[in-house]
Amino acid sequence: MSIVLFGPPGAGKGTQAKKMIVAGHMTHISTGDLFRAAMKNETPLGLEAKSYVDSGNLVPDSVTIGLVKEVIAANKEGHFIFDGFPRTSTQAEALEKLISDMNANPIKHALFLEVPTDVLARRLTGRRLCRDCGAVYHVDSKPPSVPGQCDLCQGEIYQRKDDSEEVISTRLDAYSKNTEPLKEYYQKKGLFVEIDGQGDPEDVFDRFKTYL
Ligand code: ADP
Ligand code: ADP
Ligand code: ZN
């Protein structure tokens, strides 16, 4: 089966998806990670996505859907965790069509991570990433053992440009306008499940496991 993991920016989607791929032998598709990698490598996709990502706006649906299509096509047998995709109803409909056209594993659950806005702001402003492997840290709740250095690969720790307060507010608006309506979309399909995203990441992961 495949799973959609959605929720506001900073809800902990990436953190939980990484635990799930290990536990469930699944393939992680994070459109945000894919855009950041393309931007780092200055590929045509990265150059196209950059102005949207840096300003906190959504990358156009046609670009994002094209990217996901390529990733699924490269691994049709995969059991996917879609993290941060779909973010619009157009993307949600396109994803269903892609999966059925390519005979890929269907979406059995759309898991929504619920976290209140004030908590999201603290998670986002304190988030740090490894420039080399993408590992996620937090200045308060998950600092690296050696300041500025990734525990996993010794890479350099940095702050995402779009995790600044100004861009965060644009991202939260994009979320309310475009992504929150997906709750109803997946409720109608009978796939929607809300998971409480507060508390220790391991406790949140236990809630996922209990449900699944
Ligand atoms: P977060 O983890 O904070 O929710 P992501 O890493 O998923 O953020 O996404 C970062 C940025 O990449 C978004 O603000 C947006 O510009 C772009 N992006 C990621 N996924 C999508 C998508 N499905 N549709 C459009 N834009 C996307
Ligand atoms: P998303 O992919 O939804 O944007 P992330 O998984 O990147 O969210 O998490 C955002 C920030 O919050 C990161 O710095 C991460 O370390 C931290 N974080 C994630 N889950 C929790 C949690 N349950 N409690 C406290 N901090 C968390
Ligand atoms: Zn690293």
Side-chain angles (χ1 to χ4, degrees), residues 8-10 13 31-33 35-36 52-53 56-59 64 84-87 91 124 127 160 162 171:
K13 302 180 295 294
T31 41
D33 287 351
F35 286 134
R36 276 185 293 280
Y52 299 100
V53 174
N57 291 297
L58 295 184
V59 177
T64 310
F85 179 90
R87 260 176 157 93
Q91 290 179 14
L124 289 168
R127 173 161 60 188
R160 273 168 54 175
D162 61 338
R171 287 161 62 207

Side-chain angles (χ1 to χ4, degrees), residues 9 53-56 120-121 123-128 159-172:
V53 174
D54 284 349
S55 62
L120 293 176
R123 288 193 185 178
L124 289 168
T125 52
R127 173 161 60 188
R128 299 292 184 272
Q159 180 173 24
R160 273 168 54 175
K161 208 172 170 180
D162 61 338
D163 276 343
S164 65
E165 270 178 48
E166 190 192 340
V167 181
I168 288 170
S169 99
T170 308
R171 287 161 62 207
L172 290 171

Side-chain angles (χ1 to χ4, degrees), residues 37 56 87 133 173 211:
R87 260 176 157 93
C133 75
D173 287 347
Y211 172 73

Side-chain angles (χ1 to χ4, degrees), residues 3-196:
I3 291 175
V4 166
L5 184 55
F6 74 120
K13 302 180 295 294
T15 300
Q16 295 300 324
K18 282 175 186 151
K19 293 181 187 295
M20 275 192 217
I21 55 175
V22 176
H25 307 287
M26 300 184 79
T27 302
H28 185 196
I29 300 187
S30 159
T31 41
D33 287 351
L34 292 168
F35 286 134
R36 276 185 293 280
M39 283 160 58
K40 181 177 161 194
N41 296 323
E42 298 182 347
T43 66
L45 173 74
L47 296 174
E48 188 169 10
K50 186 172 168 43
S51 64
Y52 299 100
V53 174
D54 284 349
S55 62
N57 291 297
L58 295 184
V59 177
D61 284 335
S62 56
V63 176
T64 310
I65 292 164
L67 169 67
V68 172
K69 181 178 179 183
E70 276 177 38
V71 180
I72 298 177
N75 177 17
K76 288 185 189 160
E77 316 285 292
H79 297 266
F80 300 108
I81 297 181
F82 296 99
D83 160 8
F85 179 90
R87 260 176 157 93
T88 66
S89 42
T90 303
Q91 290 179 14
E93 281 157 18
L95 177 59
E96 257 178 70
K97 185 162 184 320
L98 284 179
I99 287 179
S100 97
D101 288 354
M102 290 196 262
N103 244 325
N105 287 305
I107 296 162
K108 290 287 169 65
H109 309 282
L111 306 174
F112 175 77
L113 257 182
E114 164 69 25
V115 175
T117 311
D118 56 321
V119 178
L120 293 176
R122 283 197 297 279
R123 288 193 185 178
L124 289 168
T125 52
R127 173 161 60 188
R128 299 292 184 272
L129 260 70
C130 170
R131 209 178 275 289
D132 295 339
C133 75
V136 179
Y137 297 90
H138 190 280
V139 289
D140 301 319
S141 63
K142 201 184 173 222
S145 319
V146 177
Q149 184 177 303
C150 177
D151 293 350
L152 305 178
C153 77
Q154 279 87 54
E156 182 203 351
I157 303 290
Y158 81 108
Q159 180 173 24
R160 273 168 54 175
K161 208 172 170 180
D162 61 338
D163 276 343
S164 65
E165 270 178 48
E166 190 192 340
V167 181
I168 288 170
S169 99
T170 308
R171 287 161 62 207
L172 290 171
D173 287 347
Y175 165 76
S176 317
K177 183 161 167 265
N178 300 290
T179 312
E180 204 161 18
L182 290 182
K183 286 185 181 178
E184 203 183 321
Y185 178 91
Y186 284 118
Q187 265 159 0
K188 283 189 182 143
K189 307 244 169 218
L191 301 175
F192 178 83
V193 179
E194 183 170 305
I195 308 271
D196 176 4

